[in-house]
Amino acid sequence: MLARVANNLFWMGRYLERSEHIARYMNVNYFSSLDAPTELSQSRQFVLRSMLFVADEEELIEVKELDEKKVLYDIGLNPEKQFSILSSIQNAQQNANGARDLISTELYESINTLNRAVKIYDKDRFVKNGLFDFTTMITANIASLRTKIRGTLLHDEVYAIIMLGIYIERANQVIRIINSKYNDALVENVNSGASVTTSFEWTTLLKCVQTYDMMRRYYRKIPSSHNVLDFLILNPYCPRSIMNSLNCIQNYIGFLSKDEIPQKDTAAFLIGKLKCQHQYTTIEDVQGDLKGFIEKLVEDLSLVGVKMHKDYFSLD
């Protein structure tokens, strides 16, 4: 397989996963605020800042007052913003074009159909009253595309590369969402004295990554910082957890590399080392310095991505 084509497959998976997480975060964060327990967490400025923090936190550097329609448009349908859902879907479609001969007709046509639907979506309707319908359409279609990836492709190198893209992006998005909700809980604590440990933001976090029911069944407790972070970071049985993503990344890299013992300074070696480190990490270790843990994990995942590009996608 050409490195360029492998790169197309990898980024097709990443962009699809990214668009789903951003869409669900917009949906849950916006509408959960209607039931939030404090005046601050119900405020539009608080909600919009949280959305932008996940989409692209650099957008918040110089902006003091956010315009709701502009923020929704930028994150949803602005073609000039690389972080928008529209841009992610278009990028996924362009990468699918580059790997057309290796993916199924069903998958390719479904990506094209979604791309057309997003491009022609009425922008005025979206920013006024179409947020729920639009984000639901995105999440439902990405779920359907994921089913087609699993059900209409041979589970060979092509499948492994797409799944690598999906799981690396999932780990990145989940840790960004955790960081955003932790930041929201801290802001609430400073402004209203609400407890960080039992903040409403932990419940919202679980809903943002579709794990609320799973977590309640597993722990049978009210969501708190302790059990939510343990579930989303360290629990290997949660399909959205960081630990589960690391296990899957190692599995698919192992399938591609075929090495029983990975060579030092390779993506397979790095992901194996990262997985083992987190396998023996406790929730007390994480909560002792959550900001530091998040920053280190983001840095480590970025390094794995760089090594993967060098090992499998580089044209050199």
Side-chain angles (χ1 to χ4, degrees), residues 194-213:
S195 170
V196 173
T197 303
T198 58
S199 172
F200 178 75
E201 301 303 327
W202 301 116
T203 296
T204 307
L205 166 58
L206 290 170
K207 293 178 180 179
C208 285
V209 290
Q210 283 190 315
T211 55
Y212 179 76
D213 289 338

Side-chain angles (χ1 to χ4, degrees), residues 98-133:
R100 175 64 188 92
D101 293 340
L102 295 178
I103 61 176
S104 66
T105 300
E106 294 86 354
L107 176 59
Y108 182 71
E109 290 180 350
S110 295
I111 293 174
N112 282 335
T113 299
L114 176 59
N115 183 48
R116 286 194 296 271
V118 173
K119 284 174 69 175
I120 66 173
Y121 202 90
D122 187 273
K123 297 173 178 59
D124 291 331
R125 175 175 174 243
F126 170 68
V127 297
K128 289 179 181 177
N129 56 15
L131 177 62
F132 181 83
D133 289 341

Side-chain angles (χ1 to χ4, degrees), residues 239-293:
R240 298 277 175 172
S241 74
I242 302 298
M243 193 68 238
N244 183 273
S245 292
L246 294 177
N247 286 335
C248 292
I249 293 167
Q250 185 187 40
N251 178 51
Y252 290 117
I253 284 185
F255 181 84
L256 293 175
S257 69
K258 303 292 193 298
D259 293 332
E260 290 186 13
I261 302 177
Q263 296 296 312
K264 188 178 179 180
D265 202 37
T266 63
F269 181 87
L270 287 177
I271 195 63
K273 182 178 179 181
L274 186 59
K275 175 201 160 184
C276 288
Q277 288 172 349
H278 285 76
Q279 196 169 1
Y280 294 100
T281 296
T282 66
I283 188 57
E284 288 75 20
D285 296 330
V286 174
Q287 288 192 296
D289 181 17
L290 182 56
K291 280 290 184 183
F293 177 86

Side-chain angles (χ1 to χ4, degrees), residues 12 16 20 35 41 43 48 50 60 75 86 131 133 141 146 152 160 204 210 219 223 236 277 282 297 304 307 313:
M12 181 189 79
L16 290 175
E20 180 197 25
D35 299 319
S41 55
S43 72
L48 295 174
S50 183
L60 292 169
I75 301 177
L86 171 63
L131 177 62
D133 289 341
N141 274 275
R146 198 179 293 116
T152 66
T204 307
Q210 283 190 315
Y219 288 103
Q277 288 172 349
T282 66
L297 181 56
V304 169
K307 291 296 183 184
F313 312 136

Side-chain angles (χ1 to χ4, degrees), residues 130-176:
L131 177 62
F132 181 83
D133 289 341
F134 177 78
T135 53
T136 301
M137 176 191 75
I138 297 296
T139 54
N141 274 275
I142 299 299
S144 176
L145 287 170
R146 198 179 293 116
T147 300
K148 286 183 169 65
I149 290 170
R150 291 194 169 97
T152 66
L153 298 178
L154 289 172
H155 287 207
D156 55 8
E157 288 85 356
V158 170
Y159 178 79
I161 291 171
I162 296 173
M163 297 307 290
L164 271 175
I166 287 174
Y167 281 107
I168 281 191
E169 188 63 33
R170 180 173 298 179
N172 272 289
Q173 290 299 322
V174 170
I175 201 66
R176 287 174 67 87

